Every structure is written in C-alpha cells, then in structure tokens.
Short mmCIF file of all heavy atoms in Angstrom, two decimals:
data_model
loop_
_atom_site.label_atom_id
_atom_site.label_comp_id
_atom_site.label_asym_id
_atom_site.label_seq_id
_atom_site.Cartn_x
_atom_site.Cartn_y
_atom_site.Cartn_z
N GLU A 1 89.94 106.18 92.82
CA GLU A 1 90.87 107.25 92.47
C GLU A 1 90.54 107.85 91.10
O GLU A 1 90.63 109.06 90.91
CB GLU A 1 92.31 106.70 92.47
CG GLU A 1 93.36 107.73 92.20
CD GLU A 1 93.51 108.77 93.30
OE1 GLU A 1 93.08 108.53 94.44
OE2 GLU A 1 94.05 109.85 93.00
N PHE A 2 90.14 107.02 90.15
CA PHE A 2 89.83 107.52 88.81
C PHE A 2 88.52 108.32 88.81
O PHE A 2 88.35 109.22 87.99
CB PHE A 2 89.76 106.39 87.80
CG PHE A 2 91.07 105.66 87.62
CD1 PHE A 2 91.11 104.38 87.10
CD2 PHE A 2 92.28 106.24 87.98
CE1 PHE A 2 92.29 103.71 86.92
CE2 PHE A 2 93.48 105.58 87.81
CZ PHE A 2 93.49 104.31 87.28
N ARG A 3 87.61 107.98 89.70
CA ARG A 3 86.39 108.79 89.84
C ARG A 3 86.72 110.15 90.45
O ARG A 3 86.15 111.17 90.07
CB ARG A 3 85.36 108.08 90.72
CG ARG A 3 84.24 107.49 89.91
CD ARG A 3 83.09 107.00 90.75
NE ARG A 3 83.35 105.61 91.11
CZ ARG A 3 83.34 105.14 92.35
NH1 ARG A 3 83.09 105.94 93.36
NH2 ARG A 3 83.60 103.88 92.59
N ARG A 4 87.65 110.14 91.38
CA ARG A 4 88.04 111.38 92.04
C ARG A 4 88.85 112.27 91.10
O ARG A 4 88.72 113.49 91.13
CB ARG A 4 88.87 111.06 93.29
CG ARG A 4 89.17 112.26 94.16
CD ARG A 4 90.00 111.88 95.37
NE ARG A 4 91.35 111.49 95.02
CZ ARG A 4 92.34 112.35 94.76
NH1 ARG A 4 92.12 113.63 94.79
NH2 ARG A 4 93.55 111.91 94.48
N CYS A 5 89.67 111.66 90.26
CA CYS A 5 90.56 112.41 89.37
C CYS A 5 90.49 111.77 87.97
O CYS A 5 91.30 110.89 87.66
CB CYS A 5 91.97 112.36 89.93
SG CYS A 5 93.14 113.36 89.01
N PRO A 6 89.52 112.19 87.15
CA PRO A 6 89.33 111.56 85.83
C PRO A 6 90.55 111.64 84.92
O PRO A 6 90.78 110.73 84.12
CB PRO A 6 88.16 112.34 85.23
CG PRO A 6 87.46 112.97 86.38
CD PRO A 6 88.51 113.21 87.42
N GLU A 7 91.35 112.69 85.04
CA GLU A 7 92.54 112.80 84.17
C GLU A 7 93.54 111.69 84.47
O GLU A 7 94.25 111.21 83.58
CB GLU A 7 93.20 114.16 84.31
CG GLU A 7 93.72 114.44 85.69
CD GLU A 7 94.01 115.90 85.94
OE1 GLU A 7 93.42 116.74 85.26
OE2 GLU A 7 94.84 116.18 86.83
N LYS A 8 93.59 111.25 85.72
CA LYS A 8 94.47 110.14 86.08
C LYS A 8 93.98 108.85 85.42
O LYS A 8 94.78 108.04 84.95
CB LYS A 8 94.50 109.98 87.60
CG LYS A 8 95.59 109.12 88.11
CD LYS A 8 95.61 109.16 89.63
CE LYS A 8 96.89 108.67 90.20
NZ LYS A 8 96.94 108.77 91.64
N GLY A 9 92.67 108.68 85.37
CA GLY A 9 92.09 107.52 84.70
C GLY A 9 92.38 107.52 83.21
O GLY A 9 92.66 106.48 82.61
N GLU A 10 92.34 108.70 82.60
CA GLU A 10 92.66 108.80 81.17
C GLU A 10 94.12 108.47 80.92
O GLU A 10 94.45 107.80 79.93
CB GLU A 10 92.33 110.21 80.66
CG GLU A 10 90.86 110.52 80.61
CD GLU A 10 90.10 109.56 79.71
OE1 GLU A 10 90.58 109.27 78.59
OE2 GLU A 10 89.03 109.09 80.12
N ARG A 11 95.01 108.94 81.79
CA ARG A 11 96.43 108.61 81.64
C ARG A 11 96.65 107.10 81.79
O ARG A 11 97.47 106.52 81.09
CB ARG A 11 97.28 109.35 82.67
CG ARG A 11 97.55 110.77 82.32
CD ARG A 11 98.69 111.36 83.13
NE ARG A 11 98.70 110.98 84.52
CZ ARG A 11 98.36 111.78 85.53
NH1 ARG A 11 97.93 113.00 85.31
NH2 ARG A 11 98.42 111.35 86.77
N TYR A 12 95.92 106.48 82.71
CA TYR A 12 96.07 105.04 82.93
C TYR A 12 95.59 104.25 81.70
O TYR A 12 96.18 103.23 81.36
CB TYR A 12 95.30 104.60 84.18
CG TYR A 12 95.51 103.15 84.53
CD1 TYR A 12 96.69 102.74 85.15
CD2 TYR A 12 94.55 102.20 84.27
CE1 TYR A 12 96.89 101.42 85.48
CE2 TYR A 12 94.74 100.87 84.59
CZ TYR A 12 95.92 100.49 85.21
OH TYR A 12 96.13 99.17 85.52
N LYS A 13 94.56 104.74 81.05
CA LYS A 13 94.04 104.03 79.86
C LYS A 13 95.05 104.00 78.73
O LYS A 13 95.11 103.03 77.99
CB LYS A 13 92.74 104.69 79.38
CG LYS A 13 91.55 104.40 80.22
CD LYS A 13 90.32 105.09 79.67
CE LYS A 13 89.15 104.92 80.62
NZ LYS A 13 87.98 105.68 80.18
N ILE A 14 95.85 105.07 78.58
CA ILE A 14 96.81 105.12 77.48
C ILE A 14 98.15 104.47 77.85
O ILE A 14 99.00 104.32 76.99
CB ILE A 14 97.05 106.56 77.01
CG1 ILE A 14 97.57 107.40 78.15
CG2 ILE A 14 95.80 107.14 76.41
CD1 ILE A 14 98.19 108.68 77.72
N LEU A 15 98.31 104.08 79.10
CA LEU A 15 99.55 103.45 79.53
C LEU A 15 99.73 102.12 78.80
O LEU A 15 98.78 101.33 78.71
CB LEU A 15 99.50 103.22 81.04
CG LEU A 15 100.76 102.76 81.74
CD1 LEU A 15 101.84 103.84 81.65
CD2 LEU A 15 100.48 102.46 83.19
N PRO A 16 100.93 101.85 78.25
CA PRO A 16 101.14 100.58 77.55
C PRO A 16 100.89 99.37 78.44
O PRO A 16 101.10 99.42 79.66
CB PRO A 16 102.60 100.65 77.13
CG PRO A 16 102.93 102.09 77.08
CD PRO A 16 102.09 102.72 78.15
N LEU A 17 100.46 98.31 77.82
CA LEU A 17 100.04 97.11 78.54
C LEU A 17 101.19 96.46 79.33
O LEU A 17 100.95 95.88 80.38
CB LEU A 17 99.45 96.11 77.56
CG LEU A 17 98.53 95.06 78.11
CD1 LEU A 17 97.39 95.68 78.92
CD2 LEU A 17 97.97 94.22 76.99
N HIS A 18 102.42 96.57 78.85
CA HIS A 18 103.51 95.91 79.56
C HIS A 18 103.74 96.52 80.94
O HIS A 18 104.19 95.82 81.85
CB HIS A 18 104.80 95.87 78.72
CG HIS A 18 105.39 97.19 78.41
ND1 HIS A 18 104.99 97.96 77.33
CD2 HIS A 18 106.36 97.90 79.02
CE1 HIS A 18 105.70 99.06 77.30
NE2 HIS A 18 106.53 99.06 78.31
N PHE A 19 103.42 97.77 81.14
CA PHE A 19 103.53 98.36 82.48
C PHE A 19 102.44 97.80 83.39
O PHE A 19 102.67 97.52 84.56
CB PHE A 19 103.42 99.88 82.42
CG PHE A 19 104.61 100.55 81.81
CD1 PHE A 19 104.48 101.31 80.67
CD2 PHE A 19 105.87 100.43 82.37
CE1 PHE A 19 105.56 101.95 80.10
CE2 PHE A 19 106.97 101.06 81.81
CZ PHE A 19 106.82 101.81 80.67
N LYS A 20 101.24 97.66 82.86
CA LYS A 20 100.14 97.09 83.65
C LYS A 20 100.42 95.63 84.00
O LYS A 20 100.19 95.20 85.12
CB LYS A 20 98.83 97.21 82.88
CG LYS A 20 98.41 98.65 82.64
CD LYS A 20 97.19 98.71 81.76
CE LYS A 20 96.86 100.13 81.37
NZ LYS A 20 95.72 100.23 80.48
N PHE A 21 100.94 94.87 83.01
CA PHE A 21 101.30 93.47 83.27
C PHE A 21 102.39 93.38 84.34
O PHE A 21 102.38 92.45 85.14
CB PHE A 21 101.76 92.80 81.99
CG PHE A 21 100.65 92.35 81.10
CD1 PHE A 21 100.94 91.84 79.84
CD2 PHE A 21 99.33 92.41 81.47
CE1 PHE A 21 99.92 91.42 78.99
CE2 PHE A 21 98.31 92.01 80.64
CZ PHE A 21 98.61 91.51 79.40
N GLY A 22 103.33 94.32 84.32
CA GLY A 22 104.36 94.33 85.35
C GLY A 22 103.78 94.46 86.74
O GLY A 22 104.26 93.82 87.68
N CYS A 23 102.75 95.26 86.87
CA CYS A 23 102.08 95.40 88.17
C CYS A 23 101.30 94.14 88.51
O CYS A 23 101.43 93.60 89.60
CB CYS A 23 101.17 96.61 88.15
SG CYS A 23 100.30 96.86 89.70
N TRP A 24 100.48 93.68 87.56
CA TRP A 24 99.58 92.55 87.83
C TRP A 24 100.31 91.23 88.04
O TRP A 24 99.89 90.41 88.85
CB TRP A 24 98.59 92.37 86.70
CG TRP A 24 97.71 93.53 86.41
CD1 TRP A 24 97.32 94.52 87.27
CD2 TRP A 24 97.10 93.85 85.16
NE1 TRP A 24 96.52 95.43 86.63
CE2 TRP A 24 96.37 95.04 85.32
CE3 TRP A 24 97.11 93.24 83.90
CZ2 TRP A 24 95.65 95.63 84.30
CZ3 TRP A 24 96.40 93.83 82.88
CH2 TRP A 24 95.67 95.00 83.09
N PHE A 25 101.41 91.02 87.30
CA PHE A 25 102.04 89.71 87.29
C PHE A 25 103.44 89.66 87.91
O PHE A 25 104.04 88.59 87.95
CB PHE A 25 102.10 89.16 85.86
CG PHE A 25 100.73 88.99 85.26
CD1 PHE A 25 100.39 89.68 84.11
CD2 PHE A 25 99.79 88.18 85.85
CE1 PHE A 25 99.14 89.54 83.54
CE2 PHE A 25 98.53 88.04 85.30
CZ PHE A 25 98.20 88.71 84.14
N ILE A 26 103.95 90.80 88.38
CA ILE A 26 105.24 90.79 89.08
C ILE A 26 105.08 91.39 90.48
O ILE A 26 105.37 90.73 91.47
CB ILE A 26 106.32 91.55 88.28
CG1 ILE A 26 106.60 90.82 86.97
CG2 ILE A 26 107.60 91.68 89.10
CD1 ILE A 26 107.52 91.55 86.04
N VAL A 27 104.60 92.62 90.56
CA VAL A 27 104.53 93.31 91.85
C VAL A 27 103.48 92.68 92.77
O VAL A 27 103.77 92.35 93.92
CB VAL A 27 104.25 94.82 91.65
CG1 VAL A 27 104.06 95.51 92.98
CG2 VAL A 27 105.37 95.47 90.88
N VAL A 28 102.26 92.50 92.28
CA VAL A 28 101.19 91.97 93.14
C VAL A 28 101.47 90.53 93.58
O VAL A 28 101.28 90.22 94.76
CB VAL A 28 99.81 92.12 92.46
CG1 VAL A 28 98.73 91.47 93.29
CG2 VAL A 28 99.49 93.59 92.23
N PRO A 29 101.95 89.62 92.71
CA PRO A 29 102.27 88.28 93.22
C PRO A 29 103.38 88.28 94.27
O PRO A 29 103.31 87.54 95.25
CB PRO A 29 102.70 87.51 91.97
CG PRO A 29 102.07 88.20 90.85
CD PRO A 29 102.02 89.64 91.24
N LEU A 30 104.42 89.13 94.07
CA LEU A 30 105.46 89.21 95.08
C LEU A 30 104.92 89.76 96.40
O LEU A 30 105.30 89.30 97.48
CB LEU A 30 106.61 90.10 94.59
CG LEU A 30 107.57 89.49 93.60
CD1 LEU A 30 108.53 90.54 93.07
CD2 LEU A 30 108.35 88.35 94.23
N LEU A 31 104.01 90.72 96.31
CA LEU A 31 103.39 91.26 97.51
C LEU A 31 102.54 90.20 98.21
O LEU A 31 102.58 90.07 99.44
CB LEU A 31 102.53 92.47 97.17
CG LEU A 31 101.87 93.21 98.32
CD1 LEU A 31 102.92 93.76 99.28
CD2 LEU A 31 101.00 94.33 97.81
N ALA A 32 101.80 89.41 97.43
CA ALA A 32 100.99 88.34 98.02
C ALA A 32 101.89 87.31 98.68
O ALA A 32 101.61 86.86 99.81
CB ALA A 32 100.13 87.68 96.94
N LEU A 33 102.97 86.94 98.02
CA LEU A 33 103.89 85.96 98.59
C LEU A 33 104.55 86.50 99.85
O LEU A 33 104.70 85.77 100.84
CB LEU A 33 104.95 85.58 97.55
CG LEU A 33 105.89 84.45 97.91
CD1 LEU A 33 105.10 83.17 98.14
CD2 LEU A 33 106.91 84.26 96.81
N GLY A 34 104.92 87.75 99.84
CA GLY A 34 105.54 88.35 101.03
C GLY A 34 104.57 88.53 102.17
O GLY A 34 104.95 88.53 103.33
N THR A 35 103.27 88.68 101.84
CA THR A 35 102.27 88.88 102.88
C THR A 35 101.92 87.58 103.60
O THR A 35 101.91 87.53 104.82
CB THR A 35 100.99 89.49 102.27
OG1 THR A 35 101.35 90.69 101.59
CG2 THR A 35 99.96 89.79 103.34
#
C-alpha cells in the first residue's frame, strides 16, 4: 500500500508510536486469538 500511495507511507511514519503499538499488541493478538 505504501508503494502504491507514498503519501500514506509518509503519514504512517509520523504517526505516534502508541497508535502503532495499539495495533501490534492489542488488535492483532485479539484477532489471532479470535481466529
């Protein structure tokens, strides 16, 4: 997606780390457990 839309990749780079951690350590583990 970031190759297709570089501006989206730039926005993701400036996103604060706590939002990324929320995805990596809350949403994805719950999805894995539910799967």
Side-chain angles (χ1 to χ4, degrees):
E1 183 68 20
F2 297 159
R3 256 191 271 126
R4 188 181 69 80
C5 185
E7 63 196 24
K8 194 174 197 177
E10 291 300 316
R11 281 197 319 255
Y12 185 77
K13 285 180 187 175
I14 59 164
L15 189 65
L17 202 54
H18 64 275
F19 289 119
K20 296 174 187 177
F21 280 173
C23 180
W24 301 334
F25 299 120
I26 295 173
V27 175
V28 175
L30 283 172
L31 183 61
L33 187 61
T35 304

